[in-house]
Amino acid sequence: MGAVVLLAVVVTAFVGCRAFLDLSGAAQVKGVWMGSTTIPCTYTPSQGFTQQVLTWSMERDLSTSTIFRRDDSGDHILLSRFRNRVSVPKSSPGDASLHITDLEIPDSGHYTCQIIWRSENYSLITKELTTMVKVAKVAVTKPTIVAGELGLAVPVGAKASLTCVAQGSPPISYRWFRMAPGRSGQLLGSKAELVWSSLQPSDAGMYYCEVQNRVNTGTVQRSDAVELTVRDLSVTTEAHRPATDLPEAAVTSENAVGYPETDETTQSSQRTHLYLVITIAVLGGAVVFLVIFAIACARKPKNESIYEVAFHSTADVIRSDSDVEVPVKCRKEKINSETEESYENVTMTCNNYESITGNSYESTCLSKNAESETLVNAMESEYEVQNFP
């Protein structure tokens, strides 16, 4: 009984794992000639099972060829006519879809997706999924016109664009026209997008586009016409400007976009500020000049007073008998000279009396020297009194 239960558990787990590894896709895919398509092939990854090999093969006219193979060595494109045109996602676990670009009519056929997994016990599980692909040439559809971010009402000077959108087998040719009253449309360009870098009022009008491809050559599809409006913001601003007592010239447009310029009040304020700056600068210069002048004048009288004390002070000058002013310094030098001369005479006199002996010689010399010293002291006292009146 226990063995039966264990077997049932193992079978249930095995069936569950196989259910997780089932491939999902589509029975049929339609492709447009010269276009691209994706053939879906997906599964839910299961723990314990690792993808080992992925192959895509194509069956056409009872012949099967391998197109793509992915294994441990990498991706390989085995059919030369699909080289650089097929790819399989690498960064999406469980997604093995085949993407084909530049579809051709011979690409129609049955495509088979085959995946081999390896379990933890090294057993292998293989699953396949077949999808029919049909490539056909499709005539271009009636185009539609898509406006840019600003829509069909665009201000002057702004960038604008109109895009012609159509479906069908490429290549698709485009032509843009502008409607003109009483005559055929004016041809403007041959690209899918019509662009204006700086829209002007003359660009306003009715526009339409025409498309065609190689399917049903000669058949042209034309879009419905759309009207492009160019809004002049300066006119709009003037129309909605509130009534004021200011003259009309006080508010104008700048660069035709509707931004107001500086009015008379602002200009007057700027002139007032300029005058104020000039006045402050002049006053500052005047103050600096007055300070320098005052310092110069204060220094001059001080120098003159010093000069007068040095050369005209009565404390430093005495008068002679002849009423001629003689400086004290010169007078003192004269007296000193006379004193020295008298002292020399006394000394010479004493020297001449060397023969005199006794107290007579000493008294004579001492008397002469005392007189000289008394004269010098008297003159110095007189000089000090004159200097300190």
Side-chain angles (χ1 to χ4, degrees):
M1 185 63 181
V4 174
V5 174
L6 181 59
L7 181 60
V9 172
V10 173
V11 171
T12 301
F14 181 75
V15 172
C17 290
R18 291 179 64 87
F20 278 116
L21 297 175
D22 283 344
L23 300 178
S24 300
Q28 184 177 355
V29 173
K30 293 183 178 180
V32 178
W33 176 62
M34 296 302 296
S36 61
T37 189
T38 299
I39 307 173
C41 180
T42 60
Y43 66 92
T44 302
S46 179
Q47 186 176 2
F49 291 86
T50 305
Q51 178 179 305
Q52 290 293 298
V53 181
L54 165 64
T55 58
W56 275 97
S57 58
M58 174 189 177
E59 181 184 354
R60 179 181 174 85
D61 300 331
L62 302 177
S63 175
T64 303
S65 302
T66 302
I67 302 173
F68 178 88
R69 178 185 175 89
R70 173 179 290 172
D71 52 26
D72 294 340
S73 62
D75 294 350
H76 309 278
I77 300 175
L78 305 178
L79 200 59
S80 60
R81 68 183 184 89
F82 283 98
R83 192 157 297 165
N84 298 325
R85 293 201 299 127
V86 298
S87 62
V88 177
K90 290 183 177 180
S91 59
S92 300
D95 188 1
S97 303
L98 183 68
H99 183 70
I100 307 175
T101 61
D102 301 328
L103 286 170
E104 300 176 358
I105 299 299
D107 293 339
S108 300
H110 291 83
Y111 289 77
T112 300
C113 172
Q114 182 187 76
I115 301 178
I116 301 175
W117 294 272
R118 185 188 64 192
S119 64
E120 293 180 349
N121 58 4
Y122 298 100
S123 61
L124 299 178
I125 298 176
T126 304
K127 289 291 184 72
E128 293 183 351
L129 176 66
T130 301
T131 302
M132 180 179 180
V133 177
K134 186 176 181 180
V135 180
K137 293 183 178 180
V138 178
V140 69
T141 60
K142 180 180 179 179
T144 58
I145 296 177
V146 178
E149 295 181 358
L150 300 179
L152 294 174
V154 184
V156 173
K159 183 177 180 179
S161 65
L162 296 175
T163 305
C164 187
V165 180
Q167 302 295 331
S169 297
I172 300 175
S173 61
Y174 300 86
R175 289 189 302 173
W176 275 100
F177 296 89
R178 179 179 180 181
M179 297 181 65
R183 57 190 178 92
S184 59
Q186 177 186 0
L187 179 62
L188 300 177
S190 58
K191 295 183 179 180
E193 188 177 23
L194 188 63
V195 180
W196 293 270
S197 58
S198 179
L199 204 63
Q200 301 300 320
S202 59
D203 296 323
M206 302 293 294
Y207 293 85
Y208 66 90
C209 68
E210 292 181 350
V211 296
Q212 68 179 108
N213 62 358
R214 296 177 181 178
V215 181
N216 298 330
T217 304
T219 303
V220 178
Q221 297 287 349
R222 176 176 171 177
S223 70
D224 295 330
V226 296
E227 183 178 4
L228 179 64
T229 304
V230 181
R231 295 185 289 110
D232 190 348
L233 294 182
S234 62
V235 176
T236 304
T237 304
E238 183 67 22
H240 293 84
R241 181 174 64 88
T244 60
D245 296 334
L246 296 176
E248 294 182 357
V251 179
T252 59
S253 62
E254 180 180 0
N255 297 330
V257 183
Y259 297 99
E261 294 180 343
T262 305
D263 55 12
E264 294 294 336
T265 303
T266 305
Q267 295 177 358
S268 177
S269 176
Q270 293 177 352
R271 288 196 296 269
T272 303
H273 292 166
L274 180 61
Y275 296 153
L276 182 60
V277 171
I278 295 175
T279 303
I280 292 175
V282 172
L283 291 177
V287 170
V288 173
F289 176 79
L290 290 177
V291 171
I292 296 174
F293 182 78
I295 293 174
C297 291
R299 288 182 177 180
K300 185 176 180 180
K302 185 176 180 181
N303 294 335
E304 290 179 355
S305 63
I306 293 174
Y307 176 81
E308 291 177 356
V309 171
F311 296 98
H312 298 287
S313 176
T314 56
D316 295 336
V317 179
I318 62 174
R319 293 183 177 273
S320 64
D321 296 338
S322 61
D323 295 333
V324 178
E325 294 182 355
V326 179
V328 174
K329 181 178 180 181
C330 296
R331 180 65 177 171
K332 183 178 179 180
E333 291 178 353
K334 182 178 180 181
I335 294 173
N336 290 337
S337 176
E338 293 177 355
T339 303
E340 291 177 357
E341 182 178 358
S342 176
Y343 180 79
E344 291 177 356
N345 292 332
V346 171
T347 302
M348 292 177 63
T349 303
C350 293
N351 291 333
N352 291 331
Y353 285 95
E354 290 179 355
S355 60
I356 301 174
T357 60
N359 296 332
S360 177
Y361 170 78
E362 294 180 355
S363 61
T364 302
C365 292
L366 292 173
S367 177
K368 294 294 181 177
N369 291 334
E371 291 177 359
S372 299
E373 292 179 358
T374 302
L375 180 60
V376 170
N377 291 335
M379 293 176 64
E380 289 181 353
S381 299
E382 182 181 0
Y383 175 75
E384 291 178 357
V385 170
Q386 289 178 356
N387 284 338
F388 298 94

